[in-house]
Amino acid sequence: MPRRLVKGLTTLLAAVTVPLAVCALLLSVGGPLSNTNVALILMLVVAAVAALGHRWIAALTALSAAVWFVFFFTTPYASLTRINSTDDITTAALLLGVGLAVSQLARRYSRERTIATTLQHSLLPRVLPDTLAVRAACRYVPAEAEVGGDWFDVIPLPGFRTALVVGDVVGHGLCSAVTMGRLRTAVRNFSTLDLPPDELLARLDDVVNQMDAEAGADKDVAATCLYAIYDPVSCSCAMARAGHYPPAIVHPDGRVEILDLPEGPPLGLGGLRFQAASRQLPQDTRLVLYTDGLLENRHRDVEAGLKLLCEALSSAGHDPEETCETVLETVLPARRVDDAALLIARTRAFPRDRIAEWDIPASPAAVSAVRAEVLAKLADWNLGETAFTTELILSELVTNAIRYAAPPVHLRLLRDTSLVVEVSDSSSTSPHLRYATGMDEGGRGIFLVDQFAERWGTRFTPAGKTVWAEQPAPSAPVAPVLASAA
């Protein structure tokens, strides 16, 4: 029998039998209680059922309580048609009316909770992208009473990198769900700027402060967040957190570790610094991000929850979906006073035979030699049709780095479903798109890159910057990569 049908029949039976049991108990007490006392006690029972938020169950309980009251306390063990007192009829009607009024309040509460839950689910990602960097799985479990502001996200980044995000808005209800949606949108927008994790959290902190100012003195906006960027080429993961729990790592051999990640302040305090840290994550490492609703419980402390989480992760399989199910069954509290979000990503390594790199001397004469080597590599990769555009793009990017930036200059090609050209240097000056006039002698290089590349941009690194350009590579086979990373 389906679980939902069993639950419905059980609840229906309880709505009928609970008032019956209460009436039978009060009937055994006898003299000390008047009919008014009995009616008040039954009203409390109906109100308790209505507080659970099930409006039709509350209405059925009110009707059942009125019927059992009339049966037991107006004409004991006699027919319901022989009612001797008008006061008894009035009391029963009052009991039914109060029960229905309470059930109407429960209906309004249930409707508001349904709206908040629907909004919460609509603002969360429905399908996670299966990127070349990670294979991810997620779970979101709402609280029993009210929805909260937990969220998660998986964002593909240039250079085949992937950003992993988990956050939590303090509070519950519709307002928290709306705030969560605004923060998730802000994180996605900031991710397009290709910011390091600590800088992205700093900008997100400014957004929370602005939202707090808009809300006024009556409402304080506070949130926590963990932002991580995994690079499958270097197998490194840069992470930063703002008042959030540190991530867990499940090594390929099954060993579980809670990362000692520097803890930043929660979002919304303003003016405080966030600190990023980097960690090497070899292929088949599982990175586990979660919110406090998964660990916190009235009957256990956080340390006990973390220990239980580590035990569940060590016994789970390698598949992220299987790991999510194991963690929820083992760690999630039986009575959920807060919502919980769980994101598990299994890392992949970019194949070395699809990477080509060159160190370029700081001389314009070196560009022609690099072009010849790149064209030979494209032919080896069966990407001859991209030779013209790739040659033009790398010529402009390398020439700009040699003329306007600082050595050392490094060129890297990444090939998969797209071909990525990356030119790195030690300067922090970013190129920008210009629209040169007919009399200008320069200013057309980045414009040509913008026209020929599918997309391009700049990301800053501790050693300088990397200017990248991406174009389609339809001849690149992808099956071997996915097969090796599965």
Side-chain angles (χ1 to χ4, degrees):
M1 185 178 295
R3 174 184 291 183
R4 185 173 298 180
L5 179 59
V6 173
K7 183 178 180 180
L9 293 176
T10 304
T11 308
L12 178 63
L13 181 62
V16 177
T17 57
V18 168
L20 173 61
V22 173
C23 288
L25 179 62
L26 296 178
L27 185 64
S28 64
V29 175
L33 294 176
S34 65
N35 285 1
T36 302
N37 298 138
V38 173
L40 290 175
I41 293 174
L42 290 174
M43 288 178 187
L44 292 177
V45 173
V46 174
V49 175
L52 299 177
H54 304 287
R55 59 181 184 273
W56 66 273
I57 296 297
L60 183 60
T61 304
L63 178 61
S64 174
V67 170
W68 292 126
F69 172 80
V70 172
F71 181 79
F72 281 107
F73 296 97
T74 60
T75 57
Y77 310 105
S79 171
L80 293 178
T81 59
R82 289 157 39 197
I83 299 177
N84 300 321
S85 173
T86 305
D87 294 337
D88 293 339
I89 299 176
T90 304
T91 304
L94 178 62
L95 174 63
L96 179 59
V98 171
L100 293 177
V102 173
S103 67
Q104 178 66 17
L105 294 177
R107 176 182 179 275
R108 294 180 61 182
Y109 167 80
S110 178
R111 180 173 178 269
E112 180 179 345
R113 185 178 186 277
T114 301
I115 293 174
T117 304
T118 303
L119 176 64
Q120 172 85 341
H121 284 284
S122 65
L123 294 175
L124 293 174
R126 298 184 179 181
V127 179
L128 296 183
D130 190 15
T131 67
L132 288 172
V134 298
R135 180 184 178 189
C138 62
R139 294 293 187 275
Y140 171 77
V141 183
E144 292 184 353
E146 290 183 289
V147 298
D150 291 12
W151 91 90
F152 55 87
D153 212 345
V154 177
I155 308 173
L157 297 178
F160 305 108
R161 298 167 303 136
T162 298
L164 305 170
V165 194
V166 164
D168 183 7
V169 177
V170 177
H172 297 86
L174 189 60
C175 183
S176 296
V178 173
T179 303
M180 178 274 295
R182 295 177 65 181
L183 292 183
R184 177 174 176 252
T185 302
V187 170
R188 278 200 161 259
N189 290 336
F190 290 144
S191 68
T192 60
L193 301 177
D194 220 345
L195 299 173
D198 52 339
E199 293 187 22
L200 185 140
L201 290 182
R203 298 203 180 192
L204 191 63
D205 183 59
D206 293 337
V207 172
V208 174
N209 288 327
Q210 182 179 0
M211 294 169 60
D212 199 5
E214 293 174 355
D218 298 336
K219 184 68 175 178
D220 292 332
V221 180
T224 65
C225 185
L226 172 61
Y227 187 83
I229 298 177
Y230 177 71
D231 187 351
V233 179
S234 61
C235 292
S236 63
C237 185
M239 297 165 280
R241 61 179 176 135
H244 205 85
Y245 282 112
I249 289 180
V250 186
H251 296 270
D253 58 2
R255 181 169 51 92
V256 181
E257 175 187 0
I258 302 296
L259 279 183
D260 186 16
L261 187 64
E263 182 180 4
L267 299 172
L269 298 184
L272 299 178
R273 182 189 174 198
F274 300 98
Q275 187 175 356
S278 185
R279 179 68 178 267
Q280 290 296 122
L281 300 182
Q283 184 172 344
D284 291 332
T285 300
R286 280 168 289 164
L287 183 63
V288 182
L289 287 68
Y290 50 90
T291 58
D292 56 358
L294 182 67
L295 302 179
E296 293 182 356
N297 191 347
R298 295 175 181 175
H299 306 290
R300 73 181 183 213
D301 56 15
V302 175
E303 294 298 328
L306 286 173
K307 181 179 179 181
L308 197 60
L309 174 63
C310 293
E311 293 175 354
L313 291 173
S314 62
S315 61
H318 292 282
D319 182 68
E321 292 286 345
E322 179 184 345
T323 305
C324 282
E325 293 296 332
T326 302
V327 170
L328 291 184
E329 292 175 2
T330 307
V331 185
L332 191 66
R335 181 170 179 81
R336 302 182 301 276
V337 297
D338 193 9
D339 53 345
L342 175 65
L343 177 62
I344 299 179
R346 182 182 174 188
T347 62
R348 294 166 169 167
F350 201 84
R352 304 308 303 178
D353 60 347
R354 299 192 177 189
I355 305 173
E357 298 181 274
W358 294 269
D359 289 322
I360 303 176
S363 171
V367 178
S368 59
V370 172
R371 280 202 304 259
E373 294 183 22
V374 168
L375 293 178
K377 193 62 180 179
L378 293 179
D380 182 53
W381 282 346
N382 194 27
L383 294 177
E385 65 270 28
T386 65
F388 174 77
T389 55
T390 303
E391 183 180 8
L392 186 148
I393 290 172
L394 74 88
S395 295
E396 296 296 339
L397 297 184
V398 170
T399 301
N400 282 348
I402 293 175
R403 286 183 176 179
Y404 307 112
V409 179
H410 186 76
L411 171 64
R412 184 170 72 175
L413 298 183
L414 303 176
R415 162 232 176 181
D416 197 74
T417 53
S418 60
L419 179 65
V420 178
V421 179
E422 296 182 345
V423 177
S424 304
D425 57 67
S426 59
S427 171
S428 59
T429 303
S430 175
H432 63 278
L433 180 63
R434 290 178 54 191
Y435 296 93
T437 63
M439 300 301 294
D440 291 342
E441 295 184 1
R444 296 178 177 83
I446 295 299
F447 177 78
L448 292 176
V449 172
D450 181 72
Q451 294 297 310
F452 283 95
E454 192 173 64
R455 55 176 183 162
W456 71 279
T458 304
R459 68 172 177 268
F460 294 95
T461 64
K465 72 173 183 299
T466 297
V467 184
W468 57 270
E470 182 178 322
Q471 56 181 316
S475 299
V478 297
V481 176
L482 298 180
S484 62

